[in-house]
Amino acid sequence: MNFREIKEEFPILNQHVNGYPIVYLDSSATSQKPRVVIEAIDSYYNNFNSNVHRGVHTLGTRATDAYEGAREKVKNFINAKETAEIVFTRGTTTSLNMIAQCYVMEFLKEGDEILITQMEHHSNLIPWQQAAKKIGAVLKYIPLSPNGTVDLIDVKKSINSKTKFVAITHVSNVLGTINPVKEIAKVAHQHGAVICVDAAQSAPHLKLDVQDLDCDFMAISGHKMAGPTGIGILYGKKDLLNKMTPYEFGGEMIDFVDLYDSTWKELPWKLEGGTPIIAGAIGLGAAIDFLEQIGLDTIRLHEEKLVNYAFQQLSAIEGISIYGPKQPEQRSGLITFNVNDVHPHDLATILDSDGIAIRAGHHCCQPLMKWLNVSATARASFYLYNSEEDIDSLVKGIKKAKAYFETVLT
Ligand code: C6P
């Protein structure tokens, strides 16, 4: 399949918005879904909707097989050692909150240090901020380099024997920076700290290997990687997940319940209380098949070309500021920018009138906006269905918005 054919697999992209063919440049917020994902969910509800791990009836067995089959696909996708290390959650935010509540608040103590960066999404910042407050731990920030990257020298300077937990995003949803998480994990482990990687923006675009990265925890959202909303992954090394207290108590996660005490199922079910997100997991499994069929390396290469092209084209616009590292190997497939005299929300509105979808705002990264010294930015994010023509439309739209505001302001 070439990339033009790939786009045809996404039914939603075959439409006009405000009279123009849609140009979807907001995949970092959520990606579009290919036909096979929509059909997999449809087939579950049409043909074998049933609860899992309960009944012995045929539909129940089919649903259980499909649900557990999806777990196996996730395990292979991130190269985990075993399926016991794959917990289905609602998404990255839930996964990170589970780690904060069931690991950090349980096993860190007063005076311990938690190390993060100022480029974190709120979902990879507030859980640690709140956990630190609750247990009296100290939240510390690794300083960012001027180009919006994390330097290993600064990691080494920031970490010490009190550091017990490091949380870092693999790819920044604003700067696009790809952080050297493998090297950071090595430094963390040399100091006896546990490392948690927010892979919300890397799992859709980069080939992941949790054993090679040697991260202890990883959080992923299905909806950013061609899967449905409401499904995510918490990866954890088995010994750490085993140590964690359950996040939710109730059905599904118990082994034996007595009047005054209960015992839990083994991993991963101990951490999946209640009826799980069955359709979501099945849809995510189909998304993984789809991405793997194309190949994560092919997707990465395509996005690298797009982001380079976008850099060239956008840089040529007078009065534009582009944030994040310029070297293609240091960044993922998105470009965040501001245009003189045009508020990002106005820009997004004008682009929308031409059928172009971008995101504007603080992108759930207020501390990063502070570091950038702006209140908001515009962001165009690319995925496997985008093309250079989409970027040409973006550039045309930005020029139109700029011209409009220049006329209004003079
Ligand atoms: N970023 C964006 O437009 P959830 O909402 O749980 O699926 O993902 C949260 C999250 C965590 N970490 C990073 C790095 C993220 O980018 C996101 C989601 C979206 O940038 C929505 S704010």
Side-chain angles (χ1 to χ4, degrees):
M1 253 193 297
N2 62 38
F3 283 94
R4 216 165 272 283
E5 287 165 340
I6 288 172
K7 186 175 175 184
E8 284 164 19
E9 294 302 312
F10 290 80
I12 200 170
L13 297 177
N14 183 23
Q15 67 168 302
H16 283 66
V17 168
N18 297 323
Y20 292 87
I22 185 169
V23 175
Y24 188 75
L25 298 174
D26 196 18
S27 296
S28 292
T30 196
S31 73
Q32 296 303 348
K33 324 301 174 200
R35 192 171 283 111
V36 282
V37 169
I38 300 164
E39 283 171 1
I41 298 166
D42 188 73
S43 169
Y44 164 66
Y45 283 123
N46 271 320
N47 302 316
F48 57 102
N49 172 52
S50 219
N51 214 323
V52 293
H53 307 138
R54 285 171 170 80
V56 291
H57 59 74
T58 304
L59 296 194
T61 308
R62 276 187 73 188
T64 304
D65 289 349
Y67 180 71
E68 291 304 329
R71 198 190 307 277
E72 182 76 30
K73 288 176 190 181
V74 173
K75 181 211 119 195
N76 295 333
F77 186 70
I78 62 170
N79 194 30
K81 274 191 189 142
E82 44 185 312
T83 49
E85 295 177 324
I86 307 297
V87 179
F88 282 124
T89 67
R90 274 187 54 230
T92 301
T93 303
T94 308
S95 302
L96 295 169
N97 275 277
M98 283 172 76
I99 302 164
Q101 196 171 305
C102 309
Y103 181 81
V104 172
M105 288 192 206
E106 289 281 331
F107 298 107
L108 268 66
K109 54 182 191 331
E110 199 177 337
D112 285 346
E113 292 183 0
I114 299 171
L115 199 53
I116 65 171
T117 78
Q118 207 170 334
M119 72 165 80
E120 302 311 319
H121 184 278
H122 295 163
S123 294
N124 197 31
L125 190 154
I126 307 168
W128 322 124
Q129 202 181 62
Q130 294 304 305
K133 278 188 189 188
K134 189 142 189 162
I135 59 179
V138 181
L139 186 63
K140 279 180 45 176
Y141 286 84
I142 303 165
L144 301 183
S145 300
N147 66 345
T149 57
V150 175
D151 196 317
L152 272 185
I153 294 173
D154 291 317
V155 177
K156 287 176 186 160
K157 276 189 199 155
S158 309
I159 206 161
N160 61 54
S161 60
K162 286 194 213 153
T163 313
K164 297 290 178 255
F165 194 83
V166 179
I168 185 154
T169 192
H170 197 177
V171 170
S172 160
N173 63 319
V174 171
L175 303 168
T177 313
I178 302 173
N179 284 318
V181 287
K182 181 175 172 174
E183 291 73 19
I184 297 172
K186 210 167 174 182
V187 179
H189 292 150
Q190 280 162 358
H191 290 80
V194 159
I195 180 163
C196 168
V197 175
D198 172 353
Q201 298 292 352
S202 60
H205 310 281
L206 306 176
K207 201 165 172 41
L208 294 182
D209 182 335
V210 287
Q211 294 188 62
D212 180 54
L213 295 175
D214 198 19
C215 56
D216 299 296
F217 291 112
M218 181 177 272
I220 295 174
S221 293
H223 70 95
K224 294 187 199 288
M225 47 182 283
T229 50
I231 185 77
I233 298 152
L234 159 58
Y235 159 80
K237 285 184 181 162
K238 203 175 168 186
D239 57 327
L240 295 174
L241 291 181
N242 261 328
K243 272 172 81 174
M244 274 165 63
T245 48
Y247 184 61
E248 288 181 316
F249 299 97
E252 269 289 292
M253 49 76 68
I254 54 90
D255 178 29
F256 181 74
V257 180
D258 205 349
L259 288 181
Y260 298 104
D261 208 0
S262 304
T263 55
W264 322 132
K265 265 189 189 160
E266 56 187 0
L267 289 174
W269 306 290
K270 172 185 113 172
L271 295 169
E272 291 180 4
T275 296
I277 312 141
I278 306 166
I282 292 169
L284 178 59
I288 287 175
D289 287 343
F290 180 79
L291 295 178
E292 284 184 332
Q293 196 195 336
I294 295 157
L296 269 292
D297 291 336
T298 311
I299 294 171
R300 165 80 180 133
L301 223 65
H302 177 67
E303 290 174 3
E304 229 176 276
K305 273 191 206 148
L306 288 182
V307 89
N308 277 343
Y309 184 68
F311 239 105
Q312 272 172 25
Q313 299 302 309
L314 267 72
S315 310
I317 299 173
E318 212 190 302
I320 200 163
S321 309
I322 299 175
Y323 307 105
K326 295 202 165 40
Q327 290 75 11
E329 66 282 359
Q330 279 187 312
R331 67 150 54 231
S332 183
L334 63 89
I335 189 157
T336 294
F337 58 94
N338 267 321
V339 183
N340 268 357
D341 301 330
V342 187
H343 191 280
H345 281 124
D346 292 334
L347 177 64
T349 307
I350 291 177
L351 290 174
D352 179 59
S353 66
D354 287 353
I356 305 164
I358 64 156
R359 186 171 172 192
H362 57 61
H363 313 285
C364 301
C365 288
Q366 288 184 17
L368 180 57
M369 294 295 120
K370 194 172 169 184
W371 185 82
L372 290 171
N373 204 20
V374 295
S375 59
T377 73
R379 181 188 71 187
S381 49
F382 316 121
Y383 207 16
L384 68 175
Y385 33 69
N386 291 117
S387 62
E388 290 187 352
E389 288 96 86
D390 293 341
I391 293 162
D392 292 339
S393 304
L394 172 71
V395 170
K396 201 170 147 202
I398 295 172
K399 285 182 177 163
K400 182 175 156 185
K402 213 171 155 272
Y404 172 77
F405 278 95
E406 276 163 7
T407 324
V408 168
L409 292 173
T410 48

